[in-house]
Amino acid sequence: MRAALAVVLFLSTSGVRAVEPTAPGYREVERVVAVVNDDVVLLSEVEEQLVPLLGTLPPSLKDQERQKRVAEMRKDILEGLIADRLLQQQVEELQVDVTSDEIDRAIQEVKNQNRLDDEGLKQALAQQGMTMNSYRETMRKQMLKAKIINLKVRSKLSLTDKDIESAVARRARLQKEEFKVHARHALFAVPEGAPAEQEAQQKARAEELLKRAKAGEDFPTLVRTLSDPATASNGGDLGFFKRGDIMPAFEQAAFSTPPGEVTGPVRTPLGWHVIQVVERKSLETRSKDQIRDDLREQLINEELERAFKRYISELRKDAHVEVRL
């Protein structure tokens, strides 16, 4: 493959400089940004992948930092395209292929798993900026990669059965610790900027409720009779919530308090809270055997991905790669 050497210029009153492909006045003249053995990577391929990523940059970034981030994105994209070229060359050398029927079956499996018909899949792809043709090409590359992994990588896995069992047991313990909490609370609101006397008064009310709850009085009844109206109506019942669903100080208190106990007063931006933890439930709904099988598969896939990156790195060492970006 051959391509003419060219430049990307932006004409402005301050001179000539490289810019984002979405900038006003941008003109692209195709050029080679990498040579990979007898193949090349074109600038247009990098820019095509770059454009959707520009929207992920925070608008508040200063110009210098933004240019730095865009340059890093270009570099990462180019590295990925170089890896694609190396992989494609291996595909050709090893005569690996993916047929249209194989792609059809893989797409049908995706539709079945997600309960989508043809139109539903097209809509889902459109939301990600993809067409059916681009999705088929993405699927083809993924399947080629899987075949190369099976041929060249899987035999190089460094995981032993003992490694897998140890990691499975460790992750199973960690996942078992993840839970959601059912809690009730009494709120004693403190408006922003309230005087110190009001702050102290509301905290004292919260401490009184806490004292009576710890003495054995019914918590929902105390909430209805002593707390502010915001929580009084339903006895302060919050139902179940997970980590990240609620204010940090409240979350820390609720998740560190054993079921059946009361804690507080806890200060949040809303005011003072007294919290009763009703119960905890594990977030894990799978059986132990399911957890084990899923974790085993996850670990193997992670190790395969690491081994694949090592394989691409080895290919690159043996290849002629010239970067011109």
Side-chain angles (χ1 to χ4, degrees), residues 102-114:
E102 287 178 303
I103 297 173
D104 288 340
R105 287 195 293 272
I107 291 176
Q108 186 60 49
E109 187 175 342
V110 170
K111 289 194 295 185
N112 292 343
Q113 289 175 350
N114 293 277

Side-chain angles (χ1 to χ4, degrees), residues 60-83:
S60 59
L61 277 182
K62 294 182 179 179
D63 187 55
Q64 186 175 2
E65 178 62 22
R66 184 178 180 87
Q67 287 186 33
K68 179 182 176 184
R69 296 278 288 275
V70 171
E72 290 170 351
M73 285 178 170
R74 277 196 176 99
K75 182 179 178 182
D76 290 343
I77 291 168
L78 180 57
E79 288 299 312
L81 289 169
I82 290 171

Side-chain angles (χ1 to χ4, degrees), residues 186-211:
L187 171 64
F188 299 89
V190 181
E192 186 176 353
E197 305 88 61
Q198 185 176 0
E199 177 89 33
Q201 181 184 39
Q202 291 294 73
K203 185 178 181 182
R205 292 178 61 203
E207 288 171 340
E208 175 62 21
L209 187 148
L210 177 65
K211 180 181 178 181

